[in-house]
Amino acid sequence: MSRSATGASFLPEFCGSRMAFVVVLLAQLLAIVLTLSTPGTRVSEFDRLALYSVMSLWIGLLCLGTLCLLRRHVEALPDHLAATACYATTLAVTLAVSEVAWQLTVGWFTLADSVGTNHAGFLLRCLGISAIAWALALRYFYVRQQWRRRVESEADARFAALQARIRPHFLFNCMNTIAGLTRQAPALAEQAVVDLSDLLRASLHSAGQPVTLAEEIALCRGYLRIEQHRLGERLKVDWQLPPGNLGQRLPALTLQPLLENAVYHGIELLPQGGTVTINCVVAPDGTTITLSNPVLAGEPGITQRHGHNMARENVAQRLAAFFGRDGLLKIHEQPGHYSIELLLPDENPDR
Amino acid sequence: MKILIVDDESLARTRLRELLRDSDGGHTVLEAENGIFALELAQRESPDVVLLDIRMPGMGGLEAAIHMARLPNPPAIIFTTAFDEHALQAFEASAVDYLLKPVRAERLAQALSRARMLRSAQVTELRRLQPDARQRTHLSIRSREGLLLVPVDEVAYLRADQKYVAAAWRQREVLVDESLKALEDEFAGLFLRIHRNALVAREHILGLERQRDGTMAVRLRAVAEAIPVSRRHLAEVRATLKGQ
């Protein structure tokens, strides 16, 4: 899920000098730990450190190189398979290097003292150490990668929140409408300017600023008046509001972006237009607002636009932050019809 | 000059019309509210220039431009848009003329003075760069009466013969001058390959049936004959039918 959202892979970048440096450092630390933990034998401490270093560096760097080459192929796998493949690779490389080391030390350099006499035992010891060291290292890389990804997606979300406030598409269309109205109907042009000013003012408020439902509805009416100039007969609006004063509090610009979605993704694409319905029901446990609109069903060439989800998620986040709980926004999608339901709980009145 | 204004918003059309009137250029102005009407008008009236909005219901500007480029006397096209990042990138990249709404009178005059035809290379480039416009809603068929627009979702099957591709549409076959491969690539979600020379509309499939000679064929809604399925594609067709 988060892979597609951020475009970043589950696997860290294995190729590169930074990673090589980290692996060299870890391998060297491991060699030092091993040297410190074994009692002195006929082989001196420095010789042992040298041997351990050579061994751990070879294993570390060869593993890294193999992972670097493999990364492209493994990346396409599901996350758990990719992780398993990487781990298995490190173990295989360890085994291969250990075997080569055994052959070299026993056969060529006659350094049997430093490796012992048991071939299988030597391989198993190397494998065990490497298995633990790589498990820790891969875990560390994984955590670091996750952290980096989270930082990136948080920054994205913040940027999206800033951008979602007023859509450039709407702003420039609105300017065009005003330019068109100025000559033919100056009074309507004036009203459009005032409505637009209210919208801009609201969007310049800091996010999550509380307003009453009545205020938000007034803002939405202004927004829809502007769209009405543009779309004319194609846009019909049906307000189903309960009588009385709607004093519930909610974050500013909660309904408006959703209405904008209904117009931009629904009504605007329908040659005959349609009706946007805003239904509001006040119950003891909270107020439920349902926005529904017709959409184009199964038209070829219409792909779900990115902005749709962005505005919706933005609203969901702000509702969750404001009321301190999730799941206040529900979506019902049918072919040709879209509706979105908001619950404003009757709690937290002091916010 | 004869100028066709295409925009779904009547205010936007009025504004352009007034700008053109103010310019005293003695232009003849025509108006259409979406791509389909625009194509009809363009065919009948052969305008010199089309001012074409991008986002319109029915058929958008980019697709209308693709079809207009196939007319016998293709008009020069100037796109108009309020804001559309993808479209702007596409225009810049393919050197197509465009105007940003609200349109400035001087910019309009400038664009008209150097209005030029859309070359087919530019059309291809536009389609490549515009994710939403890659798939057309209509096929344009060249016929003796002019350009015929066939809604893609009404086509039951596409079948390649030696030199041409026939599309089954409303109980008859019309000839499409595009390759079956290109059509398959563009409309992969709508059509299913059942034979080396045939694509059928997924929505039109009623079922598979065995023929008297033992081969398999697909039965389509509102099509009398069954369309043969090749053995190579049979497994895929079965899987698709099961999935539906």
Side-chain angles (χ1 to χ4, degrees):
Chain A
M1 289 291 281
S2 52
R3 178 199 309 232
S4 55
T6 59
S9 161
F10 158 78
L11 295 172
E13 184 56 71
F14 290 118
C15 316
S17 53
R18 267 185 82 89
M19 192 57 110
F21 172 73
V22 172
V23 168
V24 167
L25 193 72
L26 291 178
Q28 202 54 57
L29 286 174
L30 179 66
I32 293 171
V33 168
L34 290 175
T35 316
L36 291 175
S37 61
T38 35
T41 52
R42 267 168 296 168
V43 188
S44 81
E45 260 92 10
F46 280 110
D47 288 350
R48 263 190 293 129
L49 178 60
L51 277 173
Y52 290 147
S53 300
V54 168
M55 188 72 179
S56 57
L57 278 174
W58 268 107
I59 292 180
L61 290 175
L62 280 173
C63 283
L64 189 65
T66 320
L67 287 175
C68 169
L69 291 177
L70 269 179
R71 189 179 190 277
R72 237 167 359 105
H73 306 288
V74 173
E75 220 169 12
L77 296 174
D79 290 355
H80 63 281
L81 282 182
T84 315
C86 287
Y87 193 51
T89 308
T90 61
L91 296 184
V93 172
T94 305
L95 205 60
V97 174
S98 309
E99 178 60 28
V100 172
W102 174 267
Q103 296 301 340
L104 285 177
T105 45
V106 174
W108 291 22
F109 305 129
T110 55
L111 277 171
D113 278 353
S114 53
V115 293
T117 49
N118 184 348
H119 186 176
F122 172 73
L123 290 184
L124 277 177
R125 271 185 292 135
C126 287
L127 203 60
I129 293 169
S130 177
I132 293 168
W134 270 110
L136 291 174
L138 285 174
R139 173 75 196 163
Y140 162 72
F141 294 147
Y142 167 76
V143 169
R144 205 178 58 157
Q145 177 82 350
Q146 289 292 311
W147 172 77
R148 185 173 297 167
R149 244 161 55 163
R150 206 171 54 229
V151 169
E152 274 172 16
S153 68
E154 269 170 18
D156 280 352
R158 222 165 285 152
F159 182 66
L162 284 174
Q163 257 200 334
R165 280 187 184 168
I166 199 136
R167 279 207 190 121
H169 169 83
F170 166 69
L171 186 64
F172 290 112
N173 266 322
C174 181
M175 289 303 176
N176 196 40
T177 304
I178 293 170
L181 283 172
T182 312
R183 291 195 213 179
Q184 300 162 33
L188 289 180
E190 189 182 340
Q191 190 182 37
V193 169
V194 176
D195 285 337
L196 178 64
S197 302
D198 283 344
L199 271 175
L200 287 175
R201 200 170 293 123
S203 79
L204 289 173
H205 271 295
S206 59
Q209 197 98 348
V211 293
T212 65
L213 184 53
E215 285 169 331
E216 178 72 11
I217 286 174
L219 194 75
C220 289
R221 283 186 194 275
Y223 162 72
L224 288 168
R225 265 198 300 273
I226 297 175
E227 294 289 42
Q228 193 86 63
H229 293 311
R230 215 155 66 74
L231 301 172
E233 287 293 294
R234 275 160 61 204
L235 173 63
K236 291 177 209 68
V237 184
D238 182 12
W239 289 95
Q240 301 171 351
L241 301 178
N245 183 23
L246 295 168
Q248 294 85 341
R249 282 159 149 330
L250 73 170
L253 288 184
T254 303
L255 293 182
Q256 190 273 335
L258 301 176
L259 279 176
E260 201 173 321
N261 269 350
V263 172
Y264 186 81
H265 300 283
I267 309 298
E268 265 188 32
L269 297 178
L270 296 165
Q272 311 306 325
T275 307
V276 177
T277 309
I278 304 109
N279 177 278
C280 178
V281 177
V282 181
D285 59 330
T287 305
T288 307
I289 303 164
T290 314
L291 307 178
S292 43
N293 61 277
V295 288
L296 207 57
E299 173 84 356
I302 303 298
T303 50
Q304 192 64 280
R305 278 178 186 76
H306 177 58
H308 202 233
N309 294 329
M310 200 166 76
R312 195 177 65 200
E313 269 160 31
N314 187 260
V315 168
Q317 271 168 20
R318 280 189 291 138
L319 278 179
F322 188 82
F323 290 105
R325 67 185 237 212
D326 279 336
L328 295 173
L329 205 134
K330 286 194 200 95
I331 291 137
H332 308 280
E333 251 172 306
Q334 286 158 9
H337 192 83
Y338 185 91
S339 79
I340 191 159
E341 193 184 300
L342 273 92
L343 175 67
L344 310 176
D346 243 359
E347 55 202 39
N348 237 350
D350 53 335
R351 283 207 49 175
Chain B
M1 253 198 281
K2 201 185 244 185
I3 299 171
L4 171 58
I5 300 173
V6 191
D7 200 306
D8 57 323
E9 295 167 22
S10 83
L11 266 176
R13 291 198 302 269
T14 313
R15 184 170 143 71
L16 281 175
R17 198 175 57 221
E18 282 176 352
L19 286 180
L20 288 171
R21 201 186 52 204
D22 292 352
S23 72
D24 285 332
H27 302 300
T28 312
V29 178
L30 305 162
E31 291 180 33
E33 60 176 55
N34 70 36
I36 297 175
F37 295 143
L39 262 167
E40 276 171 23
L41 259 180
Q43 247 191 105
R44 213 166 52 223
E45 304 281 342
S46 312
D48 304 297
V49 179
V50 180
L51 296 171
L52 196 52
D53 183 30
I54 309 275
R55 223 179 112 87
M56 290 180 291
M59 186 196 284
L62 288 168
E63 190 183 343
I66 290 167
H67 296 309
M68 277 181 195
R70 289 163 54 85
L71 286 172
N73 299 311
I77 287 174
I78 301 168
F79 289 104
T80 63
T81 183
F83 183 87
D84 189 335
E85 267 172 290
H86 292 301
L88 293 186
Q89 278 170 13
F91 297 156
E92 291 292 347
S94 52
V96 169
D97 230 351
Y98 65 91
L99 293 169
L100 290 173
K101 293 194 265 188
V103 175
R104 273 179 195 280
E106 308 91 80
R107 264 296 279 135
L108 178 62
Q110 200 183 37
L112 285 177
S113 71
R114 57 161 199 229
R116 59 201 166 206
M117 243 121 67
L118 208 57
R119 293 190 315 275
S120 63
Q122 288 176 317
V123 175
T124 323
E125 182 74 0
L126 274 182
R127 281 175 67 189
R128 197 176 61 77
L129 291 166
Q130 252 281 316
D132 291 352
R134 232 175 271 167
Q135 207 180 56
R136 289 166 292 167
T137 58
H138 291 72
L139 298 174
S140 46
I141 311 291
R142 286 202 182 102
S143 70
R144 245 172 300 158
E145 298 87 56
L147 220 54
L148 179 69
L149 282 182
V150 172
V152 177
D153 53 6
E154 287 181 13
V155 173
Y157 64 81
L158 291 157
R159 197 148 58 165
D161 215 324
Q162 256 112 27
K163 280 190 185 136
Y164 52 83
V165 172
W169 175 60
R170 294 190 187 162
Q171 271 77 42
R172 61 181 169 135
E173 283 194 342
V174 290
L175 301 187
V176 186
D177 48 6
E178 291 167 79
S179 78
L180 202 63
K181 179 79 182 76
L183 291 165
E184 184 186 14
D185 289 345
E186 183 172 351
F187 304 109
L190 291 174
F191 289 91
L192 178 68
R193 168 83 70 169
I194 61 164
H195 193 278
R196 193 167 40 79
N197 63 15
L199 303 174
V200 297
R202 293 170 193 268
E203 285 292 309
H204 290 242
I205 299 179
L206 293 175
L208 261 178
E209 61 179 38
R210 190 174 293 281
Q211 302 299 293
R212 239 174 264 153
D213 60 359
T215 59
M216 300 298 283
V218 165
R219 179 64 65 186
L220 295 173
R221 189 154 25 91
V223 175
E225 70 176 308
I227 315 293
V229 180
S230 73
R231 238 180 306 160
R232 233 184 78 208
H233 293 94
L234 188 58
E236 199 191 331
V237 174
R238 280 220 169 95
T240 310
L241 289 181
K242 210 171 262 177
Q244 274 176 352

